[in-house]
Amino acid sequence: MSAGVRTMPLYRYQSVAADGSLIEGAIESPDKQGVIDRLHALGQIPVRAELATAADAARAGDRSAARAGRRSLELQISLSRDLANLLKAGLPLDRALAVLIDTTASPDARRVLEELRDRVRGGQALSQAMAGQPSMFSPLAVSMTRAGEAGGVLAPVLNRLAEYLERSRQIREAVKTALIYPVILLVVAMVSLVVLLLFVVPQFQVLFADAGRALPVPTQIVIALAEALRRYGVWMLLVAVGAVYLAAWAVRRPAAQLTWHAWLLRVPLLGDVLAKTEMARLARTLGTLLANGVSLLNALAISRETLNNRAMAAAMEQIGEGVRQGRSIGSMMLEHPLFPRLAAQMVRVGEETGGLDPMLATVADLYDQEVERSVKRLLAVLEPALILLMAVVITGVIVSILLGILATNELVT
């Protein structure tokens, strides 16, 4: 856990494809020669490769994450399933890609498919063509496709890949949907408080001022908050936005991100949900890769990259180093408090019995269900807490105003 997250430098490059078109992009590599070697492996002629600036790296990461979360996931699911069906029907790969190009309605998907088809016709394997578009195809998809090509079972592997991606999307969407109501409650509470302070409380300030008497402390506090919000509300908003921006910038730094993610895993209720979500993703990815013939070390490296929590990814990096030295995955997981102990024990049993990949599938199914139950438990606590907080805050404002009115009435009488 003490080790930081290893990241390779980002290089921006220009290259010429087999059809003569100019390609620009970014590749993570330990050095410039690694970029050149990778471009040669993709059948491209390197033109320029230079180290990207920090701003370039941040923008590239943001764009990659955005694409991976939206277009690329949909594209991988539809491409994998449709291509598997066409290959099962006996069509050659380039012809199957041409059929998909003719039938797709999305310009983005058509552009990606056309590039895949051109590269395949140029002599590249499908996995190589997919690796040439890292912003659209994940390492998981590339590795599984490569394993299917090597084993001569590309269609079944692509179908299995589509099922895996679809299941992952369903779990992610279920969690997002469950969090909509608490977010709405929080927004309503904040808007209600701002409306009270900006429009309701000022109506009573004239009455309180005319009373000429010291108001109760709660009333003074509410009036001071309303006055501050009226005078400095815009500045408060700018400061809040700036603080959020600075926090987001700081969290992008590997060391700060590692600390932040490790802390999140220790938060009551939330940490449990995050750990189980990551464990389900890790188990399903690793099990799927192993079941399709990917070597253990490569599968561990790819599975680590699919994790969103950098603390768990760093722990998996250490586990990968331990596996190189002959240690077992399950025993090393048991040494890390970040991994659920039940999952670690099941992984160790799978290794001992020689059935690691089916055991990992079982772990993934188990923790998918656990995530759903944990989210329900979290919401069962979060929703009443937000409602109670909203009621207490709004009631506090109203009561403070009533106390001020009572004080002025006593003065009149």
Side-chain angles (χ1 to χ4, degrees):
M1 280 299 301
S2 60
V5 180
R6 296 181 184 175
T7 56
M8 290 188 292
L10 183 73
Y11 286 84
R12 300 197 64 82
Y13 71 88
Q14 286 183 336
S15 61
V16 178
D19 59 358
S21 60
L22 184 65
I23 299 175
E24 294 186 1
I27 291 179
E28 288 186 350
S29 176
D31 51 34
K32 186 174 181 179
Q33 186 60 43
V35 178
I36 296 173
D37 292 342
R38 184 170 176 182
L39 292 174
H40 281 307
L42 295 173
Q44 302 174 19
I45 302 174
V47 175
R48 179 177 62 86
E50 59 186 24
L51 192 64
T53 63
D56 289 335
R59 285 194 297 267
D62 292 342
R63 287 195 299 268
S64 178
R67 292 190 189 101
R70 295 190 296 272
R71 293 181 299 172
S72 67
L73 180 59
E74 296 293 335
L75 178 59
Q76 288 180 73
I77 293 173
S78 61
L79 172 61
S80 300
R81 181 176 291 111
D82 295 342
L83 191 56
N85 292 332
L86 292 173
L87 293 176
K88 285 180 184 176
L91 272 70
L93 180 58
D94 62 335
R95 177 57 181 159
L97 290 171
V99 170
L100 292 179
I101 293 171
D102 292 338
T103 56
T104 186
S106 168
D108 291 331
R110 185 179 297 109
R111 177 183 56 79
V112 172
L113 288 168
E114 287 174 348
E115 185 169 347
L116 289 179
R117 180 200 58 190
D118 294 342
R119 293 185 180 217
V120 168
R121 288 180 175 176
Q124 291 188 2
L126 178 61
S127 58
Q128 287 181 297
M130 292 167 65
Q133 301 187 58
S135 62
M136 297 302 298
F137 295 102
S138 66
L140 169 69
V142 174
S143 296
M144 286 188 62
T145 303
R146 185 181 295 117
E149 291 169 335
V153 287
L154 182 57
V157 167
L158 288 173
N159 198 43
R160 203 171 297 138
L161 173 63
E163 292 174 356
Y164 165 81
L165 294 174
E166 183 65 34
R167 177 62 177 166
S168 299
R169 181 177 65 174
Q170 289 174 357
I171 295 296
R172 189 182 300 113
E173 292 300 322
V175 173
K176 288 182 180 179
T177 302
L179 292 176
I180 288 177
Y181 182 59
V183 171
I184 291 175
L185 281 179
L186 186 60
V187 171
V188 169
M190 294 178 65
V191 171
S192 301
L193 180 61
V194 170
V195 169
L196 283 173
L197 292 176
L198 284 181
F199 300 104
V200 177
V201 174
Q203 301 299 321
F204 295 91
Q205 284 185 259
V206 177
L207 174 64
F208 297 153
D210 293 342
R213 177 178 174 174
L215 295 171
V217 174
T219 308
Q220 294 181 37
I221 293 174
V222 169
I223 290 177
L225 288 175
E227 188 68 16
L229 188 63
R230 185 178 64 82
R231 289 185 177 182
Y232 310 111
V234 175
W235 292 107
M236 290 179 180
L237 180 61
L238 291 176
V239 169
V241 172
V244 171
Y245 177 81
L246 288 176
W249 172 82
V251 169
R252 289 196 190 103
R253 298 164 56 198
Q257 189 177 69
L258 185 64
T259 302
W260 169 247
H261 285 185
W263 179 83
L264 286 176
L265 293 173
R266 294 194 295 269
V267 176
L269 295 178
L270 176 62
D272 181 61
V273 173
L274 293 176
K276 289 177 178 177
T277 301
E278 294 289 74
M279 189 66 233
R281 180 182 294 113
L282 171 64
R284 192 169 299 282
T285 305
L286 185 57
T288 302
L289 290 169
L290 293 176
N292 288 281
V294 179
S295 67
L296 179 58
L297 290 176
N298 287 338
L300 285 170
I302 295 169
S303 301
R304 184 183 70 241
E305 295 302 320
T306 64
L307 296 176
N308 293 326
N309 188 282
R310 292 294 92 193
M312 293 190 73
M316 282 303 301
E317 185 175 8
Q318 295 178 7
I319 289 175
E321 294 294 333
V323 170
R324 283 191 177 90
Q325 299 170 10
R327 301 190 61 186
S328 69
I329 302 173
S331 63
M332 295 195 67
M333 279 186 172
L334 287 171
E335 297 174 2
H336 283 277
L338 300 181
F339 297 101
R341 292 193 63 82
L342 175 60
Q345 292 284 9
M346 292 177 69
V347 170
R348 186 166 69 173
V349 170
E351 290 178 303
E352 293 172 352
T353 58
L356 181 57
D357 47 317
M359 182 62 77
L360 286 168
T362 302
V363 171
D365 292 336
L366 172 64
Y367 277 88
D368 279 343
Q369 297 171 7
E370 281 291 318
V371 167
E372 294 179 5
R373 286 193 289 266
S374 297
V375 168
K376 289 179 181 179
R377 285 196 295 268
L378 177 62
L379 294 180
V381 175
L382 186 61
E383 291 176 6
L386 288 175
I387 293 173
L388 181 62
L389 177 64
M390 181 171 61
V392 168
V393 171
I394 294 177
T395 301
V397 173
I398 294 175
V399 168
S400 67
I401 294 175
L402 292 177
L403 289 174
I405 294 174
L406 291 174
T408 56
N409 287 339
E410 289 178 3
L411 179 63
V412 173
T413 58

